[in-house]
Amino acid sequence: MHHRSALTGLGLALVALLTPGCFLSRNSVNVPLHAEKLAQLTPGVSTQAEVLASLGAPIDVVQLGFRTAWRYDYTVEKRAGLTLFVITLINTDVQQDRLWLFFDEKGVLAAAGSTIDADKAVYELPWTNEHAQK
Amino acid sequence: MKPRLVPAVALAAALFTAPACVRLRFEQTNLQRPLPRATQELVAPGMSLAECLELLGAPNVVWEQPDGRLALAYAWSHSFGWGFAASVDVTRNANASFDFDDLSEDVYGLALFFDRDWTLVESQRGRLRELTALRARRRPNIFFPGASPTPPPQ
């Protein structure tokens, strides 16, 4: 009887010690890109002024001679971790919504490329690797 | 205190205080997903910029090359490792922007090189730092209100 209560106490103590060692965190940078706004952009028609009015200021501008490329992005980072006394295990997944707009010499949209992946960021156990490069 | 309790108390004290001064850390980081190999293989010289963007989505890096040519790259990274003590960073910072001037060793990708008309001339796969090593660096973006655009290189 005495041993059983001691084991129960030990088990509770272990759970109490280990539980605070688990953590999840989520960080994001910038604001999400909305597909409906991206669909309104038309190569050969949309101008820089219209893009600015719709999406706001870009994150980055690359000068390509007289032409330019504008970048918009939204990043989500999800992190899962576990600390067991002196050992910490962490798994971080970072995904992004990204849009590049290429303008011609007259400031008219020539080409656009978008990737909407930010919502694909996942919490993964620290020892798993579901999405490593293949 | 009974002598036989001393080792147990010492062990418990060590376990409770050790995390404050010693830390063993395993960390792995995925920065975006690799482009499927099958999709990469659909890229062929002669494709337009718009066709490449339609097929592959938005690149991570865009930069200018001499004579008005264009290059862009798709990047992804998976890093992992053990570290000892709190001050050791075992992986690169989780920065999804993949700064052109600060590509780490473990960033892989697909680089596309276009001519002046933005038609694909060449594509290369591998470590992105090596693919961009001999390429022109991106010029700084400095704008002055009312100034005309930067002329293309001669």
Side-chain angles (χ1 to χ4, degrees):
Chain A
M1 189 68 183
H2 180 70
H3 282 294
R4 180 177 295 177
S5 57
L7 284 174
T8 302
L10 185 61
L12 285 173
L14 277 174
V15 169
L17 280 172
L18 297 180
T19 303
C22 301
F23 63 89
L24 298 174
S25 72
R26 181 187 185 281
N27 296 315
S28 63
V29 180
N30 301 326
V31 295
L33 301 178
H34 298 291
E36 62 271 20
K37 282 190 175 180
L38 306 188
Q40 294 171 359
L41 306 176
T42 309
V45 177
S46 299
T47 65
Q48 289 178 339
E50 291 168 345
V51 171
L52 282 174
S54 176
L55 301 177
I59 303 299
D60 190 14
V61 174
V62 177
Q63 194 76 33
L64 304 166
F66 287 110
R67 298 174 286 192
T68 55
W70 293 9
R71 175 194 174 103
Y72 294 85
D73 65 39
Y74 165 64
T75 304
V76 172
E77 172 192 306
K78 289 185 177 179
R79 174 174 288 198
L82 174 66
T83 296
L84 302 171
F85 297 111
V86 297
I87 299 175
T88 298
L89 307 170
I90 298 173
N91 195 338
T92 304
D93 189 30
V94 182
Q95 300 300 320
Q96 197 172 56
D97 291 348
R98 199 168 51 254
L99 171 68
W100 275 101
L101 302 174
F102 295 83
F103 294 96
D104 64 16
E105 296 86 343
K106 296 176 181 174
V108 177
L109 185 64
S114 63
T115 295
I116 307 296
D117 280 346
D119 62 354
K120 295 178 182 172
V122 294
Y123 296 107
E124 289 186 303
L125 294 172
W127 48 85
T128 61
N129 183 20
E130 297 286 331
H131 301 99
Q133 66 190 50
K134 297 178 175 66
Chain B
M1 182 182 295
K2 295 180 180 177
R4 64 189 175 88
L5 288 180
V6 171
V9 171
L11 179 62
L15 283 175
F16 277 105
T17 57
C21 53
V22 177
R23 204 169 73 186
L24 192 60
R25 179 182 170 109
F26 176 78
E27 182 165 5
Q28 62 173 321
T29 302
N30 284 314
L31 299 180
Q32 306 185 40
R33 307 280 187 264
L35 284 174
R37 181 58 69 100
T39 304
Q40 293 182 48
E41 289 172 352
L42 294 175
V43 174
M47 292 175 69
S48 68
L49 173 63
E51 289 172 329
C52 292
L53 295 174
E54 176 71 24
L55 179 67
L56 303 172
N60 295 92
V61 189
V62 173
W63 73 100
E64 182 188 32
Q65 295 204 277
D67 304 324
R69 288 177 288 128
L70 166 70
L72 48 87
Y74 296 82
W76 53 88
S77 169
H78 173 244
S79 57
F80 62 94
W82 286 93
F84 182 72
S87 60
V88 177
D89 288 329
V90 295
T91 62
R92 66 191 297 273
N93 288 333
N95 179 5
S97 294
F98 292 116
D99 187 349
F100 181 86
D101 294 321
D102 189 27
L103 290 169
S104 73
E105 279 287 338
D106 53 13
V107 175
Y108 290 82
L110 171 69
L112 304 181
F113 301 94
F114 295 83
D115 65 13
R116 291 179 64 110
D117 298 324
W118 289 353
T119 299
L120 183 64
V121 175
E122 179 187 5
S123 65
Q124 292 185 3
R125 288 186 295 230
R127 290 180 193 271
L128 212 55
R129 194 158 78 174
E130 295 168 6
L131 297 180
T132 59
L134 300 177
R135 307 292 177 171
R137 290 168 63 85
R138 203 178 74 183
R139 287 187 292 180
N141 300 310
I142 303 173
F143 294 100
F144 298 98
S148 58
T150 307
Q154 298 302 310

